[in-house]
Amino acid sequence: MQFTDFWIGKIQADKLPEALDTAGLVKYLSAYTSDEQCFQILFQWHETTLKRSNEWWFPRQEILNVIQEKIGRKGLTNTLRLCLELLDTTEKRTVSVAADKVNIQIDIILHGGPELIISRRDSLGILVVEFLSNIRSTRQKECWTAFIDHCLNAGESSVPNRKWWKRAKELVGRINTEHFVMKLKDWISFCQGLLMKQHAGRTYSFVDYYIDYLSAINHNLLKAIIWCSAIPNNKELLDMLEPYAIWAYKKKDSGGPLSVKTGTACIYALTYLPFREALNRISRFRSVIRHSGAMKSIDKILHDLAEQHNIPPYELEEYIVPDFGLDDEGTVRMHIGPDFTGVYTIGNTGKSSISWERNGKPAKGPQASSVPGQEFKRLVKDIDQALVDSSARIERAFMRMTPWTYKHWKTYYLDHPLVKTLTTRLIWNFHTNGVQTTGYCADGHIIDYKGREITVSEETAVRLWHPMNEPAKTVKAWRDFLLQRHIDQPFKQVNREIYTPNNEELADGFYSSRFASQVLNKQKFKNVITQRGWTLRQKAPHNWAYIPYMILTDWDIRVNFFADRKEEETVLTDMINFYKEGEPLALRDVPAVVFSETIREISYFVTTAGSTELHNRS
């Protein structure tokens, strides 16, 4: 419906059409209307939208451009001022980003100030605008204005792109470093205070807007400012990011975190610290984050950091395992209130236990409803989950081609407070000067199944021992060794199943149908494959609903396990195949350990997700 089909003077406020042609309206307002007619149309629209919840159809930005053109020709008349006030939606409690940008432009036209699209709907925006307005030096004002304008154009991404980052470094370089660091400290500290007030249930006394923390515009501004805190390489400034990120990631009541965006920006800025320090700080955050979106962003940042330092993904996983404050005995204590202490211990056999102390003596635990008690139970849950994840990661080392050096292995496996509770219950191969020995870590020494100590050096190559190709006599000796010491291994090692291609698979050549035609529970299936480190690709071509796959980087082999979605809650399995360098790999050429571990893994998937044999597949 064309707006120009209507006689402007006859439009009634309660009969303004729902569907207006934007181009026709803008053309009419710019070419054929006086200031008074323009005001009349906007007034009728304003009165009408007060009665409606849906006002998407009115082109606010385009009309503002028309009014700006009129102001450019004849100046800001009283009538055009009234037109701008009618376009302004600042009084509304919730405003979209686009509408807020229009409001900011109107505010600049009416009241002056820095011509930057900074929202005045929260106290950070007001603080930044006042700071820019009070800069006396023309050069410094230009430098700071250019920097803030660049931050306002950072976009929605969780990390800056190269072009944006290069420009940011140039702009920061123009500002006095000491002044820049001081101002960023002030802003970050101020915003941390806002977060703390929000979590305490206090709101701004002078703002009547519905904003959880910051307006959308200023949220992106703060995100970019935090990114840039890494540029001066100032330790005090970077140290401020940790307490801020804790509050940014903290959940508010039953909702989510108030500012995942700026919390993740802190993680990005911390990557500019020395590599080891950056990993330690980021892994500490990662261990307490439960927001799935935040974890994905942090993982992406970690993988990019590892790639910059040529660290393989599987080694990165070793670096970021938290220790949760466990001591050398596998025990962590948490004070609960003035009297109680929660004690969590991982025993030598792998069994964990929880106990309570009161004034240093064994006692019954506090009430289940106590908040500190809940925090301790959450810590225990996190440790248990970390043990499960670390166990799965170590188990995948059966298919690892590259060995560890003894120095690296000792640091991240034997001496790590959490991982060593798994490491010391497993059997390992040690290669020193061309000689291979098999040993077990007991009481700070590495011994064989006869109890004889094994000599190693920092350059000794270490691998996870696999019973494949070992004499039956040796495997039995290790089983007896563990049985005598009552060792419960974190996963099957001495009793591990071994699989080889059968005659049917060798005849087929390139694929295995060993687990085809099994009906599995879809949700259980998805859960178990992701827990075991496989990747799930959905909605693939050729109508396959699911293709779980594992990429073995060391071997340059990709394993595919095809599955079809049979019904809404079930998955129908099909063949398994292997690819190397983009070409199908014959089963007879698949390394024995890779084939055995793959078949064992998929057998676990099928068993866990529930299996039903189908004799007639439709």
Side-chain angles (χ1 to χ4, degrees):
M1 181 180 294
Q2 293 288 336
F3 185 85
T4 51
D5 292 342
F6 292 88
W7 178 31
I8 300 298
K10 295 296 184 181
I11 293 179
Q12 300 299 316
D14 59 345
K15 295 181 180 179
L16 197 65
E18 289 280 356
L20 300 180
D21 181 87
T22 300
L25 172 61
V26 172
K27 182 179 179 182
Y28 191 87
L29 288 176
S30 58
Y32 304 113
T33 62
S34 64
D35 294 354
E36 287 72 16
Q37 288 174 312
C38 185
F39 171 76
Q40 182 185 12
I41 295 170
L42 293 181
F43 180 77
Q44 291 172 350
W45 163 76
H46 187 270
E47 292 300 305
T48 302
T49 53
L50 290 177
K51 305 174 185 178
R52 297 175 178 163
S53 59
N54 186 4
E55 49 184 276
W56 60 267
W57 49 272
F58 205 86
R60 222 183 245 105
Q61 181 66 59
E62 289 81 354
I63 293 176
L64 175 62
N65 295 339
V66 170
I67 296 175
Q68 285 179 305
E69 288 179 8
K70 292 178 180 292
I71 293 173
R73 292 197 302 267
K74 60 185 71 174
L76 182 59
T77 65
N78 287 333
T79 303
L80 292 178
R81 180 184 293 273
L82 292 172
C83 289
L84 290 174
E85 290 176 355
L86 286 173
L87 276 180
D88 193 347
T89 57
T90 304
E91 78 281 355
K92 296 196 174 184
R93 288 179 62 81
T94 55
V95 177
S96 66
V97 175
D100 204 14
K101 287 183 177 179
V102 172
N103 295 337
I104 295 167
Q105 294 175 72
I106 292 171
D107 187 61
I108 292 171
I109 295 171
L110 294 177
H111 305 109
E115 294 188 4
L116 294 175
I117 310 302
I118 303 174
S119 176
R120 278 72 161 178
R121 294 173 63 85
D122 58 58
S123 47
L124 174 64
I126 295 170
L127 191 68
V128 174
V129 168
E130 288 181 351
F131 165 72
L132 294 176
S133 301
N134 294 329
I135 298 177
R136 295 182 179 181
S137 167
T138 303
R139 181 182 175 280
Q140 284 296 314
K141 190 168 189 173
E142 290 175 353
C143 292
W144 274 104
T145 301
F147 168 72
I148 296 297
D149 185 47
H150 188 60
C151 289
L152 286 165
N153 293 298
E156 295 293 334
S157 63
S158 58
V159 297
N161 59 50
R162 291 182 181 179
K163 183 179 179 181
W164 190 96
W165 188 244
K166 181 180 178 181
R167 178 62 176 163
K169 286 183 174 180
E170 293 175 0
L171 294 172
V172 172
R174 299 176 185 176
I175 301 172
N176 177 273
T177 301
E178 185 177 346
H179 188 209
F180 181 81
V181 170
M182 180 188 71
K183 187 50 60 180
L184 261 62
K185 283 182 179 179
D186 290 344
W187 288 340
I188 293 170
S189 177
F190 178 78
C191 290
Q192 181 179 328
L194 296 182
L195 285 170
M196 295 168 71
K197 289 178 182 177
Q198 286 286 339
H199 282 289
R202 287 177 283 173
T203 56
Y204 312 122
S205 59
F206 60 97
V207 178
D208 192 28
Y209 306 135
Y210 183 74
I211 299 174
D212 281 340
Y213 172 40
L214 297 175
S215 65
I217 293 172
N218 292 350
H219 221 143
N220 282 336
L221 169 64
L222 179 60
K223 173 191 70 176
I225 287 173
I226 291 174
W227 286 344
C228 295
S229 65
I231 295 175
N233 194 25
N234 182 280
K235 188 176 184 302
E236 290 183 5
L237 178 57
L238 290 174
D239 285 344
M240 290 187 66
L241 300 183
E242 291 194 64
Y244 173 86
I246 290 173
W247 284 101
Y249 280 132
K250 185 177 180 181
K251 291 185 177 182
K252 187 175 187 297
D253 302 326
S254 59
L258 286 177
S259 188
V260 169
K261 182 179 293 187
T262 58
T264 303
C266 293
I267 301 300
Y268 175 79
L270 291 174
T271 62
Y272 284 85
L273 289 166
F275 180 63
R276 300 293 181 185
E277 184 180 355
L279 281 180
N280 289 337
R281 293 200 190 196
I282 296 172
S283 61
R284 182 164 62 247
F285 275 114
R286 192 183 182 281
S287 67
V288 299
I289 298 303
R290 293 173 180 81
H291 188 274
S292 58
M295 288 190 68
K296 287 180 181 178
S297 298
I298 293 173
D299 286 344
K300 183 181 184 303
I301 292 171
L302 281 171
H303 281 86
D304 290 345
L305 179 64
E307 191 174 315
Q308 292 172 18
H309 292 81
N310 298 317
I311 302 296
Y314 54 80
E315 285 193 16
L316 176 64
E317 291 180 336
E318 299 168 355
Y319 295 145
I320 63 175
V321 179
D323 60 23
F324 297 101
L326 291 161
D327 60 21
D328 291 339
E329 304 300 322
T331 299
V332 62
R333 284 178 162 79
M334 176 184 281
H335 292 293
I336 301 173
D339 300 326
F340 288 101
T341 300
V343 183
Y344 174 87
T345 302
I346 307 172
N348 293 332
T349 61
K351 304 295 184 183
S352 59
S353 62
I354 298 174
S355 59
W356 304 90
E357 295 177 355
R358 188 169 188 174
N359 299 324
K361 297 180 181 180
K364 188 177 179 181
Q367 295 181 357
S369 59
S370 70
V371 174
Q374 293 296 326
E375 291 180 1
F376 177 68
K377 290 179 180 178
R378 192 178 300 117
L379 173 65
V380 169
K381 184 178 179 181
D382 290 341
I383 295 175
D384 288 341
Q385 185 59 51
L387 283 170
V388 171
D389 295 341
S390 296
S391 177
R393 175 174 56 83
I394 296 174
E395 190 172 10
R396 290 197 294 273
F398 280 124
M399 291 193 285
R400 175 173 170 151
M401 181 187 290
T402 308
W404 298 278
T405 63
Y406 177 77
K407 180 180 179 181
H408 177 94
W409 176 80
K410 186 174 187 296
T411 300
Y412 294 101
Y413 287 83
L414 192 56
D415 291 343
H416 191 283
L418 183 136
V419 181
K420 82 173 191 177
T421 62
L422 306 171
T423 304
T424 54
R425 292 185 283 130
L426 295 168
I427 302 166
W428 303 86
N429 280 333
F430 300 90
H431 299 255
T432 307
N433 298 326
V435 179
Q436 175 178 308
T437 52
T438 304
Y440 177 88
C441 307
D443 301 323
H445 301 282
I446 300 174
I447 58 176
D448 62 15
Y449 61 81
K450 294 182 179 179
R452 297 174 299 194
E453 188 168 348
I454 295 173
T455 302
V456 295
S457 68
E458 286 191 352
E459 300 305 318
T460 295
V462 184
R463 297 178 186 271
L464 185 62
W465 179 82
H466 197 294
M468 177 178 285
N469 300 324
E470 290 282 355
K473 180 180 178 181
T474 302
V475 175
K476 183 180 184 304
W478 277 115
R479 287 175 182 169
D480 294 340
F481 176 90
L482 297 176
L483 186 63
Q484 291 169 6
R485 287 164 175 75
H486 306 288
I487 300 300
D488 182 17
Q489 293 195 293
F491 49 80
K492 283 187 177 182
Q493 187 182 29
V494 292
N495 296 307
R496 200 165 189 81
E497 302 87 350
I498 297 172
Y499 297 89
T500 56
N502 57 36
N503 293 334
E504 182 182 348
E505 290 166 336
L506 291 174
D508 289 334
F510 289 92
Y511 65 89
S512 169
S513 299
R514 191 179 297 214
F515 298 104
S517 300
Q518 306 287 334
V519 178
L520 311 179
N521 179 283
K522 185 179 73 174
Q523 193 58 49
K524 289 182 179 179
F525 178 67
K526 291 171 66 175
N527 290 343
V528 71
I529 62 175
T530 51
Q531 286 173 2
R532 303 292 292 183
W534 287 58
T535 302
L536 177 63
R537 180 161 63 94
Q538 299 187 40
K539 297 182 180 178
H542 49 71
N543 296 325
W544 291 102
Y546 298 102
I547 304 181
Y549 66 90
M550 170 76 80
I551 295 178
L552 307 175
T553 308
D554 280 5
W555 301 91
D556 191 23
I557 290 176
R558 173 185 172 124
V559 186
N560 295 318
F561 179 36
F562 290 82
D564 228 345
R565 186 166 51 223
K566 182 176 182 289
E567 296 174 357
E568 186 175 348
E569 297 300 327
T570 60
V571 170
L572 185 64
T573 64
D574 206 276
M575 65 180 180
I576 306 161
N577 64 9
F578 299 81
Y579 273 74
K580 186 176 180 67
E581 297 178 353
E583 298 292 333
L585 183 64
L587 296 186
R588 64 170 57 88
D589 297 328
V590 177
V593 68
V594 171
F595 182 87
S596 180
E597 288 302 309
T598 299
I599 296 300
R600 184 184 183 278
E601 193 92 321
I602 293 174
S603 173
Y604 175 74
F605 297 165
V606 171
T607 303
T608 303
S611 173
T612 303
E613 189 72 31
L614 292 184
H615 297 287
N616 296 308
R617 181 178 177 184
S618 56

PDB file of all heavy atoms in Angstrom, residues 464-482:
ATOM      1  N   LEU A 464      51.845 -45.189  26.476  1.00  0.00           N
ATOM      2  CA  LEU A 464      50.896 -45.991  27.246  1.00  0.00           C
ATOM      3  C   LEU A 464      50.990 -47.432  26.767  1.00  0.00           C
ATOM      4  O   LEU A 464      50.896 -47.723  25.573  1.00  0.00           O
ATOM      5  CB  LEU A 464      49.483 -45.448  27.049  1.00  0.00           C
ATOM      6  CG  LEU A 464      48.370 -46.086  27.873  1.00  0.00           C
ATOM      7  CD1 LEU A 464      48.616 -45.890  29.374  1.00  0.00           C
ATOM      8  CD2 LEU A 464      47.013 -45.494  27.490  1.00  0.00           C
ATOM      9  N   TRP A 465      51.189 -48.349  27.693  1.00  0.00           N
ATOM     10  CA  TRP A 465      51.362 -49.773  27.356  1.00  0.00           C
ATOM     11  C   TRP A 465      50.051 -50.379  26.876  1.00  0.00           C
ATOM     12  O   TRP A 465      48.988 -50.123  27.445  1.00  0.00           O
ATOM     13  CB  TRP A 465      51.859 -50.513  28.593  1.00  0.00           C
ATOM     14  CG  TRP A 465      52.055 -51.997  28.417  1.00  0.00           C
ATOM     15  CD1 TRP A 465      53.130 -52.632  27.879  1.00  0.00           C
ATOM     16  CD2 TRP A 465      51.154 -53.031  28.821  1.00  0.00           C
ATOM     17  NE1 TRP A 465      52.959 -53.997  27.914  1.00  0.00           N
ATOM     18  CE2 TRP A 465      51.749 -54.272  28.486  1.00  0.00           C
ATOM     19  CE3 TRP A 465      49.901 -53.029  29.430  1.00  0.00           C
ATOM     20  CZ2 TRP A 465      51.145 -55.486  28.752  1.00  0.00           C
ATOM     21  CZ3 TRP A 465      49.291 -54.246  29.693  1.00  0.00           C
ATOM     22  CH2 TRP A 465      49.905 -55.458  29.351  1.00  0.00           C
ATOM     23  N   HIS A 466      50.130 -51.168  25.805  1.00  0.00           N
ATOM     24  CA  HIS A 466      48.965 -51.868  25.260  1.00  0.00           C
ATOM     25  C   HIS A 466      49.277 -53.362  25.240  1.00  0.00           C
ATOM     26  O   HIS A 466      50.370 -53.775  24.824  1.00  0.00           O
ATOM     27  CB  HIS A 466      48.662 -51.367  23.848  1.00  0.00           C
ATOM     28  CG  HIS A 466      47.280 -51.716  23.370  1.00  0.00           C
ATOM     29  ND1 HIS A 466      46.866 -53.016  23.137  1.00  0.00           N
ATOM     30  CD2 HIS A 466      46.212 -50.924  23.077  1.00  0.00           C
ATOM     31  CE1 HIS A 466      45.609 -53.014  22.719  1.00  0.00           C
ATOM     32  NE2 HIS A 466      45.183 -51.750  22.677  1.00  0.00           N
ATOM     33  N   PRO A 467      48.336 -54.215  25.670  1.00  0.00           N
ATOM     34  CA  PRO A 467      48.610 -55.666  25.710  1.00  0.00           C
ATOM     35  C   PRO A 467      48.727 -56.313  24.329  1.00  0.00           C
ATOM     36  O   PRO A 467      49.161 -57.468  24.228  1.00  0.00           O
ATOM     37  CB  PRO A 467      47.408 -56.227  26.481  1.00  0.00           C
ATOM     38  CG  PRO A 467      46.320 -55.224  26.282  1.00  0.00           C
ATOM     39  CD  PRO A 467      46.998 -53.898  26.211  1.00  0.00           C
ATOM     40  N   MET A 468      48.354 -55.584  23.271  1.00  0.00           N
ATOM     41  CA  MET A 468      48.457 -56.128  21.917  1.00  0.00           C
ATOM     42  C   MET A 468      49.916 -56.487  21.610  1.00  0.00           C
ATOM     43  O   MET A 468      50.830 -55.722  21.897  1.00  0.00           O
ATOM     44  CB  MET A 468      47.931 -55.112  20.910  1.00  0.00           C
ATOM     45  CG  MET A 468      48.053 -55.535  19.463  1.00  0.00           C
ATOM     46  SD  MET A 468      47.344 -54.306  18.344  1.00  0.00           S
ATOM     47  CE  MET A 468      45.610 -54.599  18.588  1.00  0.00           C
ATOM     48  N   ASN A 469      50.105 -57.630  21.048  1.00  0.00           N
ATOM     49  CA  ASN A 469      51.432 -58.129  20.641  1.00  0.00           C
ATOM     50  C   ASN A 469      52.353 -58.436  21.821  1.00  0.00           C
ATOM     51  O   ASN A 469      53.554 -58.663  21.630  1.00  0.00           O
ATOM     52  CB  ASN A 469      52.129 -57.140  19.702  1.00  0.00           C
ATOM     53  CG  ASN A 469      51.342 -56.898  18.423  1.00  0.00           C
ATOM     54  OD1 ASN A 469      50.714 -57.822  17.892  1.00  0.00           O
ATOM     55  ND2 ASN A 469      51.362 -55.664  17.927  1.00  0.00           N
ATOM     56  N   GLU A 470      51.817 -58.425  23.033  1.00  0.00           N
ATOM     57  CA  GLU A 470      52.608 -58.826  24.202  1.00  0.00           C
ATOM     58  C   GLU A 470      52.401 -60.328  24.452  1.00  0.00           C
ATOM     59  O   GLU A 470      51.291 -60.836  24.253  1.00  0.00           O
ATOM     60  CB  GLU A 470      52.163 -58.039  25.440  1.00  0.00           C
ATOM     61  CG  GLU A 470      52.525 -56.557  25.405  1.00  0.00           C
ATOM     62  CD  GLU A 470      53.981 -56.318  25.750  1.00  0.00           C
ATOM     63  OE1 GLU A 470      54.682 -57.290  26.101  1.00  0.00           O
ATOM     64  OE2 GLU A 470      54.426 -55.164  25.645  1.00  0.00           O
ATOM     65  N   PRO A 471      53.421 -61.026  24.878  1.00  0.00           N
ATOM     66  CA  PRO A 471      53.252 -62.459  25.205  1.00  0.00           C
ATOM     67  C   PRO A 471      52.205 -62.642  26.301  1.00  0.00           C
ATOM     68  O   PRO A 471      52.086 -61.820  27.217  1.00  0.00           O
ATOM     69  CB  PRO A 471      54.647 -62.880  25.681  1.00  0.00           C
ATOM     70  CG  PRO A 471      55.580 -61.855  25.133  1.00  0.00           C
ATOM     71  CD  PRO A 471      54.814 -60.579  25.070  1.00  0.00           C
ATOM     72  N   ALA A 472      51.449 -63.688  26.206  1.00  0.00           N
ATOM     73  CA  ALA A 472      50.404 -63.962  27.200  1.00  0.00           C
ATOM     74  C   ALA A 472      51.000 -64.058  28.604  1.00  0.00           C
ATOM     75  O   ALA A 472      50.381 -63.644  29.593  1.00  0.00           O
ATOM     76  CB  ALA A 472      49.673 -65.251  26.846  1.00  0.00           C
ATOM     77  N   LYS A 473      52.222 -64.571  28.690  1.00  0.00           N
ATOM     78  CA  LYS A 473      52.881 -64.716  29.985  1.00  0.00           C
ATOM     79  C   LYS A 473      53.120 -63.347  30.626  1.00  0.00           C
ATOM     80  O   LYS A 473      52.908 -63.164  31.839  1.00  0.00           O
ATOM     81  CB  LYS A 473      54.211 -65.446  29.785  1.00  0.00           C
ATOM     82  CG  LYS A 473      55.004 -65.664  31.064  1.00  0.00           C
ATOM     83  CD  LYS A 473      56.302 -66.405  30.762  1.00  0.00           C
ATOM     84  CE  LYS A 473      57.128 -66.589  32.037  1.00  0.00           C
ATOM     85  NZ  LYS A 473      58.410 -67.293  31.745  1.00  0.00           N
ATOM     86  N   THR A 474      53.518 -62.361  29.810  1.00  0.00           N
ATOM     87  CA  THR A 474      53.772 -61.012  30.327  1.00  0.00           C
ATOM     88  C   THR A 474      52.481 -60.340  30.771  1.00  0.00           C
ATOM     89  O   THR A 474      52.419 -59.705  31.833  1.00  0.00           O
ATOM     90  CB  THR A 474      54.454 -60.149  29.248  1.00  0.00           C
ATOM     91  OG1 THR A 474      55.673 -60.774  28.850  1.00  0.00           O
ATOM     92  CG2 THR A 474      54.742 -58.751  29.771  1.00  0.00           C
ATOM     93  N   VAL A 475      51.429 -60.493  29.975  1.00  0.00           N
ATOM     94  CA  VAL A 475      50.144 -59.901  30.325  1.00  0.00           C
ATOM     95  C   VAL A 475      49.633 -60.475  31.639  1.00  0.00           C
ATOM     96  O   VAL A 475      49.150 -59.743  32.512  1.00  0.00           O
ATOM     97  CB  VAL A 475      49.117 -60.126  29.198  1.00  0.00           C
ATOM     98  CG1 VAL A 475      47.741 -59.606  29.615  1.00  0.00           C
ATOM     99  CG2 VAL A 475      49.565 -59.442  27.908  1.00  0.00           C
ATOM    100  N   LYS A 476      49.766 -61.790  31.799  1.00  0.00           N
ATOM    101  CA  LYS A 476      49.311 -62.436  33.046  1.00  0.00           C
ATOM    102  C   LYS A 476      50.125 -61.931  34.239  1.00  0.00           C
ATOM    103  O   LYS A 476      49.585 -61.711  35.334  1.00  0.00           O
ATOM    104  CB  LYS A 476      49.423 -63.943  32.926  1.00  0.00           C
ATOM    105  CG  LYS A 476      48.905 -64.689  34.170  1.00  0.00           C
ATOM    106  CD  LYS A 476      49.031 -66.192  34.005  1.00  0.00           C
ATOM    107  CE  LYS A 476      48.426 -66.916  35.225  1.00  0.00           C
ATOM    108  NZ  LYS A 476      49.034 -66.484  36.504  1.00  0.00           N
ATOM    109  N   ALA A 477      51.427 -61.749  34.035  1.00  0.00           N
ATOM    110  CA  ALA A 477      52.284 -61.274  35.128  1.00  0.00           C
ATOM    111  C   ALA A 477      51.839 -59.881  35.592  1.00  0.00           C
ATOM    112  O   ALA A 477      51.798 -59.607  36.796  1.00  0.00           O
ATOM    113  CB  ALA A 477      53.739 -61.245  34.672  1.00  0.00           C
ATOM    114  N   TRP A 478      51.470 -59.033  34.656  1.00  0.00           N
ATOM    115  CA  TRP A 478      51.008 -57.695  35.025  1.00  0.00           C
ATOM    116  C   TRP A 478      49.643 -57.757  35.712  1.00  0.00           C
ATOM    117  O   TRP A 478      49.364 -56.973  36.632  1.00  0.00           O
ATOM    118  CB  TRP A 478      50.949 -56.785  33.804  1.00  0.00           C
ATOM    119  CG  TRP A 478      52.276 -56.166  33.458  1.00  0.00           C
ATOM    120  CD1 TRP A 478      53.020 -56.362  32.345  1.00  0.00           C
ATOM    121  CD2 TRP A 478      53.016 -55.247  34.271  1.00  0.00           C
ATOM    122  NE1 TRP A 478      54.172 -55.637  32.384  1.00  0.00           N
ATOM    123  CE2 TRP A 478      54.197 -54.921  33.570  1.00  0.00           C
ATOM    124  CE3 TRP A 478      52.813 -54.660  35.510  1.00  0.00           C
ATOM    125  CZ2 TRP A 478      55.158 -54.050  34.072  1.00  0.00           C
ATOM    126  CZ3 TRP A 478      53.762 -53.793  36.006  1.00  0.00           C
ATOM    127  CH2 TRP A 478      54.929 -53.494  35.296  1.00  0.00           C
ATOM    128  N   ARG A 479      48.801 -58.654  35.273  1.00  0.00           N
ATOM    129  CA  ARG A 479      47.500 -58.815  35.935  1.00  0.00           C
ATOM    130  C   ARG A 479      47.693 -59.234  37.389  1.00  0.00           C
ATOM    131  O   ARG A 479      47.048 -58.696  38.300  1.00  0.00           O
ATOM    132  CB  ARG A 479      46.664 -59.856  35.198  1.00  0.00           C
ATOM    133  CG  ARG A 479      46.117 -59.390  33.862  1.00  0.00           C
ATOM    134  CD  ARG A 479      45.399 -60.509  33.138  1.00  0.00           C
ATOM    135  NE  ARG A 479      44.907 -60.069  31.834  1.00  0.00           N
ATOM    136  CZ  ARG A 479      44.432 -60.880  30.902  1.00  0.00           C
ATOM    137  NH1 ARG A 479      44.373 -62.198  31.139  1.00  0.00           N
ATOM    138  NH2 ARG A 479      44.016 -60.398  29.746  1.00  0.00           N
ATOM    139  N   ASP A 480      48.578 -60.164  37.616  1.00  0.00           N
ATOM    140  CA  ASP A 480      48.860 -60.614  38.990  1.00  0.00           C
ATOM    141  C   ASP A 480      49.457 -59.480  39.820  1.00  0.00           C
ATOM    142  O   ASP A 480      49.143 -59.331  41.008  1.00  0.00           O
ATOM    143  CB  ASP A 480      49.810 -61.808  38.957  1.00  0.00           C
ATOM    144  CG  ASP A 480      49.178 -63.039  38.327  1.00  0.00           C
ATOM    145  OD1 ASP A 480      47.929 -63.097  38.262  1.00  0.00           O
ATOM    146  OD2 ASP A 480      49.926 -63.936  37.882  1.00  0.00           O
ATOM    147  N   PHE A 481      50.333 -58.686  39.194  1.00  0.00           N
ATOM    148  CA  PHE A 481      50.980 -57.561  39.868  1.00  0.00           C
ATOM    149  C   PHE A 481      49.928 -56.583  40.409  1.00  0.00           C
ATOM    150  O   PHE A 481      49.978 -56.165  41.571  1.00  0.00           O
ATOM    151  CB  PHE A 481      51.926 -56.874  38.883  1.00  0.00           C
ATOM    152  CG  PHE A 481      52.589 -55.634  39.422  1.00  0.00           C
ATOM    153  CD1 PHE A 481      53.806 -55.691  40.075  1.00  0.00           C
ATOM    154  CD2 PHE A 481      51.996 -54.382  39.254  1.00  0.00           C
ATOM    155  CE1 PHE A 481      54.412 -54.540  40.557  1.00  0.00           C
ATOM    156  CE2 PHE A 481      52.592 -53.227  39.731  1.00  0.00           C
ATOM    157  CZ  PHE A 481      53.805 -53.312  40.383  1.00  0.00           C
ATOM    158  N   LEU A 482      48.978 -56.221  39.559  1.00  0.00           N
ATOM    159  CA  LEU A 482      47.946 -55.271  39.968  1.00  0.00           C
ATOM    160  C   LEU A 482      46.990 -55.886  40.981  1.00  0.00           C
ATOM    161  O   LEU A 482      46.516 -55.210  41.899  1.00  0.00           O
ATOM    162  CB  LEU A 482      47.167 -54.772  38.746  1.00  0.00           C
ATOM    163  CG  LEU A 482      47.977 -53.977  37.702  1.00  0.00           C
ATOM    164  CD1 LEU A 482      47.102 -53.622  36.510  1.00  0.00           C
ATOM    165  CD2 LEU A 482      48.566 -52.711  38.317  1.00  0.00           C
TER     166      LEU A 482
END
